[in-house]
């Protein structure tokens, strides 16, 4: 008769508190050591940690050299692998991007935890994303989880081509998912300033207001996270990511104030647009139900001239189709609805 060999008890997992790790980071490290490597999504689910707290914990572990992210062929994304306790701190912390930061250009943008060495926490709810590339990666991550609303202010008169292309793709993703989007910029709505960067006529577009000036570059996701440049004149110096509720609320208020002011400015500008006699005559005929052909006949001009006049009005009002033009003209009382015919008097009859 053989007796089963008793297994020795597992070695205790050392705490990382003495190395300055937070309780969350210590908890994540213990999970990795006891149960083995895992992707971030699994860690968040198993430990019941919000993703933001988990990302901070992983940032800490990476900076301590206590856990290393590696791309796994068997699992999508990165898998976090613990470093044996005896080896933590044995190797000097390496500055600069890790080798796995180089990836296929069509691969999805990395989560911000992959580039932790380039990000700096400045306090609770405040992080400096030190480069434009890191900011774009972080924004792509936020766009993927946006659920309700995305606000943007764009003060730049000329867009960076790469940023604009990424922006068009992100807009498409959020609008298809039903996220409400509002954008405040300095460009006219027509012609579409994003048409040169991949947006087509078939794409849905965010609600847009134009303003002569916009106070700052700003992105706000679900009224919980705000991003804006550290240096307004140099986006390459990175962005600040803010999650402090009072600060985010103040930035949302700033957006709403300028959004409302831009609408008032648009209405004031619209009321100042003067129509020449031929434009007034054409608008009156079209409002009465005339077609381009019959209106041209009434005015003794060609149908092409009618189309040219209408196109010019659309450009001046910043609208994209005749329906929108009709609304704009109605707002400035340039269209008088046709009078309803008087009812016929009653007649005697059987």
């Amino acid at each position: 008769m053989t007796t089963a060999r008793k297994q020795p008890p597992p070695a205790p997992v050392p705490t990382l508190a003495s190395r300055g790790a937070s309780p969350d980071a210590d908890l994540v490290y213990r999970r990795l050591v006891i149960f083995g490597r895992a992707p971030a999504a699994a860690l968040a689910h198993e430990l019941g940690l919000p993703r933001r707290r988990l990302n901070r914990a992983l940032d800490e572990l990476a900076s301590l050299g206590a856990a290393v992210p590696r791309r796994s062929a068997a699992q999508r994304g990165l898998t976090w692998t613990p470093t044996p306790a005896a080896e933590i701190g044995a190797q000097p912390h390496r500055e600069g991007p890790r080798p796995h930061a180089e990836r296929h250009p069509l691969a999805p943008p990395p989560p911000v935890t992959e580039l932790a060495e380039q990000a700096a926490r400045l306090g609770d709810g405040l992080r400096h994303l030190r480069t434009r590339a890191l900011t774009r990666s972080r924004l792509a991550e936020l766009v993927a989880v946006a659920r309700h609303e995305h606000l943007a202010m764009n003060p730049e008169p000329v867009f960076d081509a790469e940023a604009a292309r990424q922006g068009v793709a992100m807009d498409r993703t959020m609008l298809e998912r039903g996220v409400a989007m509002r954008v405040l910029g300095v460009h006219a709505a027509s012609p579409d300033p994003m048409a040169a960067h991949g947006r087509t006529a078939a794409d849905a577009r965010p609600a847009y207001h134009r303003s002569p000036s916009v106070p700052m570059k700003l992105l706000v996701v679900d009224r919980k996270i705000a991003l804006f440049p550290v240096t307004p004149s140099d986006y390459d110096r990175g962005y600040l990511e803010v999650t402090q509720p009072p600060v985010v609320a103040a930035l949302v208020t700033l957006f709403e104030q300028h959004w409302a002011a831009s609408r008032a400015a648009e209405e004031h500008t619209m009321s100042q647009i003067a129509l020449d006699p031929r434009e007034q005559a054409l608008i009156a005929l079209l409002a009465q139900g005339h077609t381009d052909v019959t209106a041209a006949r009434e005015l003794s001009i060609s149908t092409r001239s009618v189309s040219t006049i209408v196109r010019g009005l659309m450009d001046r009002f910043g609208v994209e189709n005749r329906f929108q033009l009709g609304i704009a003209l109605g707002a400035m009382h340039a269209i008088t609805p046709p009078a309803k015919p008087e009812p016929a008097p009653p007649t005697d009859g059987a």
Side-chain angles (χ1 to χ4, degrees):
M1 179 176 177
T2 60
T3 58
R5 180 179 298 176
K6 184 180 293 185
Q7 296 294 327
V13 180
T15 178
L16 297 182
S18 61
R19 301 174 184 269
S22 67
D24 283 348
D26 191 61
L27 174 64
V28 174
Y29 181 70
R30 289 171 179 273
R31 155 61 184 85
L32 291 172
V33 171
I34 295 172
F35 295 102
R37 63 184 183 178
L43 293 171
H45 176 73
E46 293 175 12
L47 299 175
L49 287 175
R51 194 60 183 265
R52 186 176 67 182
R53 284 174 56 187
L54 177 71
N55 286 347
R56 289 179 179 174
L58 292 173
D59 284 353
E60 289 185 52
L61 295 180
S63 65
L64 292 170
V68 179
R70 293 190 175 93
R71 189 165 298 281
S72 171
Q75 293 177 318
R76 184 178 179 182
L78 294 175
T79 297
W80 287 83
T81 302
T83 302
E87 299 178 12
I88 297 176
Q91 298 296 328
H93 184 61
R94 181 173 52 194
E95 297 296 333
R98 298 186 180 96
H100 64 265
E102 299 178 4
R103 51 183 46 80
H104 193 279
L106 296 181
V112 74
T113 48
E114 287 190 59
L115 302 174
E117 294 170 351
Q118 298 180 34
R121 289 188 301 276
L122 304 180
D124 187 32
L126 187 63
R127 188 205 305 258
H128 178 198
L129 305 171
R130 293 178 177 172
T131 66
R132 183 179 286 193
L134 179 59
T135 302
R136 289 172 181 166
S137 297
R138 180 57 172 157
L139 183 58
E141 185 180 39
L142 293 174
V143 164
V145 298
R147 289 293 176 267
H148 307 293
E149 183 183 52
H150 184 87
L151 307 177
M153 290 200 295
N154 296 323
E156 57 266 52
V158 179
F159 291 115
D160 173 80
E162 183 179 354
R165 285 193 297 270
Q166 185 183 29
V168 168
M170 290 180 178
D171 289 356
R172 188 179 296 122
T173 296
M174 287 189 286
L175 290 169
E176 289 177 351
R177 203 166 61 238
V179 176
M181 295 188 66
R182 286 186 287 160
V183 178
L184 181 63
V186 297
H187 296 267
S190 179
D192 181 6
M194 293 291 105
H197 304 290
R199 188 156 66 191
T200 68
D203 286 330
R205 295 174 60 176
Y208 182 79
H209 280 189
R210 181 188 185 185
S211 177
S213 63
V214 175
M216 64 183 297
K217 179 75 171 180
L218 176 67
L219 304 165
V220 182
V221 181
D222 286 339
R223 303 201 172 205
K224 295 180 179 179
I225 301 174
L227 302 174
F228 54 89
V230 173
T231 304
S233 60
D234 186 2
Y235 296 170
D236 287 330
R237 298 188 65 181
Y239 280 59
L240 287 178
E241 177 185 337
V242 181
T243 56
Q244 296 173 355
V247 179
V248 176
L251 291 170
V252 170
T253 298
L254 177 69
F255 177 92
E256 295 290 2
Q257 290 173 344
H258 284 270
W259 180 264
S262 65
R263 170 55 67 188
E266 286 180 3
E267 292 174 351
H268 175 74
T269 300
M270 186 179 298
S271 66
Q272 301 303 312
I273 295 177
L275 304 179
D276 64 36
R278 189 170 67 165
E279 290 170 338
Q280 292 176 344
L282 174 60
I283 290 168
L285 290 171
L286 295 177
Q288 293 169 15
H290 280 268
T291 65
D292 285 10
V293 174
T294 59
R297 187 180 305 124
E298 290 288 329
L299 297 175
S300 300
I301 60 177
S302 68
T303 55
R304 176 171 293 184
S305 295
V306 170
S307 298
T308 300
I309 295 170
V310 172
R311 181 70 257 178
L313 289 170
M314 290 167 59
D315 289 342
R316 286 162 61 190
F317 281 92
V319 297
E320 300 178 10
N321 54 52
R322 293 193 179 202
F323 178 76
Q324 293 175 355
L325 177 61
I327 294 176
L329 291 168
M332 62 175 287
H333 307 292
I335 295 178
T336 302
K340 295 182 179 179
E342 294 291 334
T347 58
D348 295 330

